[in-house]
């Protein structure tokens, strides 16, 4: 985007400011003055002719959703070019608040969080932008994009006019929206429209005062000429609670919906103006324990063609899904891959669905579609055990424990993501198996229970609320609690984590806790355990003991840094880091996802690549992991048979494809 340098801004004191200082000054004085680029640029709604107007001419957008937060910065341009070469003229972008303000008052817009760089790349590519800044976004993202620190206010009512929530939203939008204003199309950028909130009609609160508050903020920061809109599901209730005067109402629906009926519902709320499907579902999301979701490519292309023929504006959700790296998956049960069966795969590769969509669009740029990124099967790596989590607390919890009579939540401990360890002692001898109970379903989300370092089993939210243990009075009880991602949709998004209530052991309430917040990510980012690898040579065991433990290994460089996929056959459940980067969760035993995507830029071509695994339940005897050249998002029987043979074979086969 071309930046102007005019200085006719009034008082000399203003003219002397640097650009960041000037932006801050203008914000403080509520003078959202922006330089007008040469030529007339406009984007508006033509209610008379039922269309958008871009620079005074009728305009129809064909857009695709892409989440910069789920794609490494290195690959942003590649994905955007592929979308443009498919024939899209726009993209739709969510802004996850918690991705940029994980700690209250600390804002991060650098590296993989550099939203303005992403917008600039889209602009250079020739793609307009439909911005969805929330503050709530859903997106199958942790807590729907809302930061977990909001839950430090125990009675806060999210997505409402609640004072605490509304103030936090105002503070956030006062940071974000001024950054976005120069990128509006009318100001020389590429943002043509901005969504207010997200599918608000599906939320129980139905708080019009909240929506009015948002409308006021968006108008104040972005100006009166910006096209603001809402998106809601295809029902009367959702459209009623999600729409507001002054915000253009759009709908979303997929391939199994009658297009005419859906747009008829939009017409009841917007009698005039363009037809818009803001989320046309090209695929669907995957849950642990379910089959991999697939939506037929021919259905997608047929319904897309029908909408485009009607003159409707369509955004395909998703066009590339990407990956829930780290702890960013929402909904507790969402898998790490956000492949979504989208036209571009999780690794950004064109699919048959993309080609079918391209055939429907027809009006596509000349030139070749960029190829798939190269993949490589680096083969097997054998790991070795570093130690049980409970024996590594000096490293993983350097500040030590917090003592409390009763359990504290993650939010109370300001440990918003990942893991915490709760430690107490047995209050009496338990010679017979005695039930350990979470009577109020208070384990959020999984608890791994050990007595004197011996793994005894687990408690799981909504599923396993009782287990038996034995032991002697004074034995150490360690309960490692995993936060599996906060609910991102519906009435339960105020999803507190940890031990939310007391645990009952027989007739006793367990008390006198030592609570260890675990900074596993921080330790691994500092190159642990590989930097201290000489310390970790435990006595080899024929069968690794069950329970939470850290494992480490090294993938030796071979001159390539190509995308690859990590398979953890016979490993149970846990988390993986490559060179300090958290790839996300694995759970092959429950599936369907069997591999983790590793972007090539994370790998070194010349230095050893450090692999760290947190296995929560039990590692296999072979301690092998396999780097493959293709993903496995489902569990075909034939591939399982091959996997068994591969992992039991002493040889390593590496295939190189040029």
């Amino acid at each position: 985007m071309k930046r102007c340098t005019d200085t006719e801004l009034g008082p000399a004191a203003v003219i002397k400011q640097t650009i960041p200082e000037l932006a801050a000054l203008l914000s403080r004085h509520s003078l959202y003055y922006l330089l007008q680029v040469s030529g007339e640029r406009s984007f508006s709604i033509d209610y008379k002719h039922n269309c958008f107007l871009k620079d005074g001419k009728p305009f129809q957008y064909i857009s695709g959703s892409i989440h910069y937060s789920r794609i490494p910065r290195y690959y942003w341009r590649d994905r955007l070019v592929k979308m443009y070469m498919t024939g899209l003229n726009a993209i739709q972008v969510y802004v996850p608040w918690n991705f940029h303000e994980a700690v209250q008052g600390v804002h991060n817009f650098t590296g993989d969080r550099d939203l303005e760089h992403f917008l600039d790349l889209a602009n250079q590519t020739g793609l307009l932008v439909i911005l969805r800044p929330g503050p709530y976004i859903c997106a199958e993202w942790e807590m729907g994009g809302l930061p977990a620190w909001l839950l430090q206010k125990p009675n806060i009512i999210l997505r409402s006019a609640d004072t605490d929530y509304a103030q936090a939203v105002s503070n956030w939008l006062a940071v974000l929206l001024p950054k976005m204003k120069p990128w509006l199309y009318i100001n020389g950028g590429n943002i043509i429209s901005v969504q207010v909130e997200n599918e608000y009609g599906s939320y129980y609160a139905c708080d019009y005062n909240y929506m009015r508050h948002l409308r006021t903020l968006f108008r104040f920061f972005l100006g009166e000429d910006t096209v603001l809109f809402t998106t809601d599901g295809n029902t009367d209730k959702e459209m009623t609670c999600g729409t507001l005067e002054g915000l253009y109402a759009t709908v979303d629906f997929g391939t199994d919906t009658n297009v005419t009926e859906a747009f008829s519902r939009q017409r009841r709320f917007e009698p005039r103006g363009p037809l818009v499907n803001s989320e046309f579902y090209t695929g669907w999301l995957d849950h642990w324990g379910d089959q991999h979701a697939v939506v037929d490519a021919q259905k997608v292309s047929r319904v897309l063609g029908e909408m485009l023929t009607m003159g409707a504006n369509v955004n395909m959700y998703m066009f590339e899904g990407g990956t829930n790296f780290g702890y960013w998956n929402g909904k507790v049960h969402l898998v790490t891959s956000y492949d979504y069966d989208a036209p571009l795969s999780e690794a950004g590769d064109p699919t048959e669905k993309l080609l079918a969509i391209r055939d429907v669009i027809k009006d596509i740029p000349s030139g070749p579609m960029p190829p798939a990124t190269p993949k490589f099967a680096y083969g097997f790596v054998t790991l070795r055990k570093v130690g049980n989590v409970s024996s590594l607390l000096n490293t993983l919890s350097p500040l030590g424990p917090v003592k409390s009579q009763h359990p504290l939540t993650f939010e109370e401990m300001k440990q918003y993501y990942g893991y915490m360890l709760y430690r107490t002692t047995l209050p009496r001898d338990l010679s017979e198996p005695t039930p350990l109970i979470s009577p109020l379903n208070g384990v959020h989300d999984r608890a791994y229970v050990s007595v004197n370092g011996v793994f005894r089993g687990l408690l799981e939210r909504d599923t396993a609320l009782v287990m038996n243990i034995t032991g002697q009075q004074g034995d150490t009880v360690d309960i490692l609690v995993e936060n599996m991602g906060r609910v991102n949709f519906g009435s339960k998004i105020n999803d507190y984590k940890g031990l939310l209530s007391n645990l009952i052991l027989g007739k006793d309430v367990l008390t006198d806790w030592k609570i260890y917040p675990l900074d596993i990510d921080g330790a691994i980012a500092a190159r642990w355990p590989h930097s201290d690898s000489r310390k970790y040579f435990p006595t080899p065991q024929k069968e690794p003991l069950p329970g939470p433990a850290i494992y480490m290994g090294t993938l030796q460089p071979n001159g390539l840094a190509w995308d690859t996929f990590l398979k953890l056959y016979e490993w149970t459940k846990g988390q993986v880091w490559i060179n300090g980067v958290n790839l996300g969760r694995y759970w092959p035993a429950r599936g369907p996802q069997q591999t983790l995507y590793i972007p090539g830029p994370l790998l070194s071509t010349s230095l050893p690549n450090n692999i760290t695994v947190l296995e929560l339940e039990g590692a296999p005897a072979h301690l092998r992991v396999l780097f493959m050249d293709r993903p496995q998002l489902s569990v075909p029987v034939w591939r399982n048979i091959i996997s068994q043979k591969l992992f039991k074979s002493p040889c390593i086969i590496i295939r190189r494809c040029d």
Side-chain angles (χ1 to χ4, degrees):
M1 180 176 126
K2 185 176 180 181
R3 300 286 186 180
C4 301
T5 57
D6 304 297
T7 55
E8 296 179 6
L9 303 179
V14 173
I15 297 174
K16 292 178 182 178
Q17 308 301 314
T18 65
I19 290 176
E21 291 170 339
L22 177 59
L25 181 65
L26 295 177
S27 297
R28 285 197 299 272
H29 291 279
S30 304
L31 300 173
Y32 293 93
Y33 177 85
L34 284 168
L35 306 172
Q36 195 68 31
V37 298
S38 60
E40 291 295 325
R41 291 170 65 97
S42 63
F43 191 85
S44 61
I45 295 173
D46 183 343
Y47 289 95
K48 182 178 180 181
H49 297 99
N50 297 327
C51 65
F52 288 114
L53 291 178
K54 178 173 170 283
D55 300 333
K57 298 177 182 179
F59 177 77
Q60 179 186 28
Y61 69 68
I62 308 173
S63 171
S65 285
I66 178 172
H67 297 162
Y68 64 94
S69 55
R70 286 180 160 122
I71 300 169
R73 174 187 173 119
Y74 180 89
Y75 281 142
W76 287 350
R77 185 187 297 275
D78 173 79
R79 307 313 195 243
L80 292 168
V81 170
K82 287 170 179 171
M83 296 175 78
Y84 178 78
M85 294 306 298
T86 304
L88 306 188
N89 56 15
I91 59 170
Q92 193 186 81
V93 181
Y94 274 133
V95 181
W97 179 3
N98 53 12
F99 194 58
H100 296 283
E101 193 181 359
V103 177
Q104 186 173 8
V106 180
H107 301 100
N108 186 351
F109 288 92
T110 63
D112 286 345
R113 292 167 169 79
D114 192 343
L115 172 57
E116 291 189 79
H117 178 62
F118 181 81
L119 295 175
D120 191 30
L121 289 176
N123 206 25
Q124 294 175 31
T125 306
L127 290 165
L128 300 167
V129 170
I130 301 155
L131 190 71
R132 308 176 83 179
Y136 164 86
I137 62 170
C138 184
E140 288 75 59
W141 187 263
E142 220 276 341
M143 203 169 154
L146 300 179
W149 50 259
L150 290 170
L151 299 178
Q152 287 182 318
K153 300 281 187 178
N155 299 316
I156 195 168
I157 304 173
L158 303 175
R159 301 180 72 190
S160 78
D162 173 89
T163 303
D164 290 326
Y165 177 72
Q167 185 60 59
V169 166
S170 298
N171 293 343
W172 161 240
L173 293 180
V175 172
L176 175 65
L177 295 183
K179 289 179 179 290
M180 296 298 97
K181 186 164 186 179
W183 293 95
L184 295 174
Y185 182 79
I186 58 176
N187 294 325
N190 52 345
I191 297 174
I192 55 174
S193 59
V194 179
Q195 179 178 287
V196 177
E197 240 273 353
N198 184 77
E199 296 180 324
Y200 189 65
S202 63
Y203 194 57
Y204 76 95
C206 198
D207 186 340
Y208 292 114
N209 286 332
Y210 167 56
M211 290 297 288
R212 291 187 188 101
H213 176 66
L214 291 181
R215 182 183 61 189
T216 300
L217 289 172
F218 277 72
R219 286 291 176 216
F220 179 73
F221 288 117
L222 298 181
E224 293 297 323
D225 294 332
T226 303
V227 174
L228 302 180
F229 71 98
T230 59
T231 301
D232 282 288
N234 183 30
T235 69
D236 288 342
K237 178 186 179 300
E238 289 172 87
M239 294 291 287
T240 298
C241 283
T243 58
L244 190 71
E245 184 180 358
L247 308 177
Y248 191 76
T250 74
V251 293
D252 54 31
F253 57 86
T255 58
D256 294 329
T257 300
N258 182 293
V259 172
T260 302
E261 289 181 6
F263 283 135
S264 294
R265 178 168 280 107
Q266 185 196 358
R267 276 283 171 256
R268 291 207 292 275
F269 290 84
E270 288 290 357
R272 306 292 300 179
L275 298 176
V276 180
N277 184 347
S278 289
E279 288 188 10
F280 172 55
Y281 301 112
T282 61
W284 202 246
L285 49 132
D286 283 346
H287 297 84
W288 295 117
D290 289 351
Q291 295 294 315
H292 173 52
V294 175
V295 174
D296 182 70
Q298 296 309 310
K299 267 190 174 182
V300 171
S301 61
R302 177 180 56 79
V303 178
L304 174 63
E306 184 180 347
M307 289 188 288
L308 295 181
T309 301
M310 296 172 65
N313 300 266
V314 181
N315 173 70
M316 287 169 272
Y317 189 102
M318 293 293 300
F319 205 86
E320 183 193 354
T323 307
N324 294 311
F325 294 111
Y327 308 113
W328 291 118
N329 68 287
K331 216 173 183 178
V332 180
H333 303 298
L334 287 174
V335 306
T336 299
S337 170
Y338 199 64
D339 177 84
Y340 215 86
D341 193 37
L344 287 171
S345 73
E346 178 180 10
D349 298 336
T351 65
E352 291 184 7
K353 188 173 289 183
L354 180 143
L355 298 178
I357 289 169
R358 203 168 183 237
D359 288 342
V360 170
I361 295 174
K362 293 188 175 68
D363 183 18
I364 57 176
S366 60
M369 171 68 66
T373 53
K375 313 292 189 298
F376 191 73
Y378 295 92
F380 287 104
V381 173
T382 300
L383 308 186
R384 64 180 185 267
K385 186 174 180 178
V386 176
N388 296 328
V389 168
S390 58
S391 69
L392 300 168
L393 293 179
N394 287 341
T395 298
L396 301 180
S397 185
L399 298 180
V402 170
K403 296 181 180 180
S404 176
Q405 187 72 3
H406 300 286
L408 301 175
T409 66
F410 276 53
E411 293 74 24
E412 289 171 319
M413 293 285 292
K414 297 186 178 181
Q415 167 87 10
Y416 299 120
Y417 309 106
Y419 304 84
M420 288 205 311
L421 188 140
Y422 296 76
R423 173 172 286 177
T424 187
T425 57
L426 292 182
R428 56 188 171 85
D429 291 346
L430 304 173
S431 56
E432 297 293 328
T434 303
L436 176 66
I437 307 169
S438 174
L440 300 177
N441 194 18
V443 172
H444 285 197
D445 298 299
R446 267 186 145 225
Y448 305 88
V449 181
S450 301
V451 178
N452 277 359
V454 178
F455 182 59
R456 296 297 179 85
L458 58 86
L459 299 170
E460 183 174 356
R461 176 179 183 173
D462 302 326
T463 303
L465 306 182
V466 182
M467 59 168 288
N468 291 325
I469 61 175
T470 59
Q472 304 298 312
Q473 183 178 358
D475 283 354
T476 298
V477 179
D478 283 340
I479 301 177
L480 178 68
V481 177
E482 177 188 10
N483 166 3
M484 286 183 59
R486 289 179 179 81
V487 172
N488 60 272
F489 180 81
S491 61
K492 297 181 180 179
I493 56 173
N494 55 332
D495 190 9
Y496 294 85
K497 297 299 183 182
L499 296 182
L500 274 57
S501 59
N502 288 319
L503 295 183
I504 309 298
L505 181 61
K507 298 179 181 179
D508 298 309
V509 176
L510 291 180
T511 58
D512 298 318
W513 293 94
K514 293 180 180 178
I515 306 171
Y516 294 82
L518 301 186
D519 185 15
I520 303 175
D521 291 84
I524 294 173
R527 300 184 60 81
W528 179 90
H530 295 76
S531 58
D532 297 333
S533 60
R534 294 180 182 178
K535 296 180 182 178
Y536 304 113
F537 289 98
T539 303
Q541 298 167 336
K542 291 184 179 180
E543 294 287 341
L545 295 175
I550 301 286
Y551 297 82
M552 62 179 283
T554 302
L555 174 65
Q556 294 301 327
N558 68 350
L560 297 178
W562 289 2
D563 289 0
T564 188
F565 300 88
L566 183 65
K567 183 174 177 66
L568 295 107
Y569 176 69
E570 290 185 336
W571 295 75
T572 311
K573 186 182 193 300
Q575 206 97 17
V576 181
W577 292 258
I578 298 287
N579 290 332
V581 176
N582 192 331
L583 297 180
R585 311 172 198 278
Y586 67 88
W587 201 356
R590 189 162 293 190
Q593 182 178 354
Q594 299 295 305
T595 56
L596 291 175
Y597 171 55
I598 303 176
L602 295 185
L603 301 176
S604 172
T605 60
S606 57
L607 298 174
N609 294 284
N610 295 334
I611 309 163
T612 313
V613 174
L614 167 62
E615 168 58 52
L616 295 165
E617 296 184 46
H622 57 71
L623 291 183
R624 286 180 169 184
V625 297
L626 175 64
F627 291 85
M628 303 169 59
D629 61 359
R630 63 200 63 194
Q632 186 181 341
L633 298 178
S634 56
V635 197
V637 174
W638 66 267
R639 193 165 289 178
N640 266 351
I641 294 171
I642 292 175
S643 294
Q644 291 174 32
K645 291 182 178 179
L646 280 173
F647 277 84
K648 291 177 181 176
S649 170
C651 65
I652 297 176
I653 302 171
I654 300 179
R655 177 175 60 186
R656 178 166 182 165
C657 303
D658 294 320

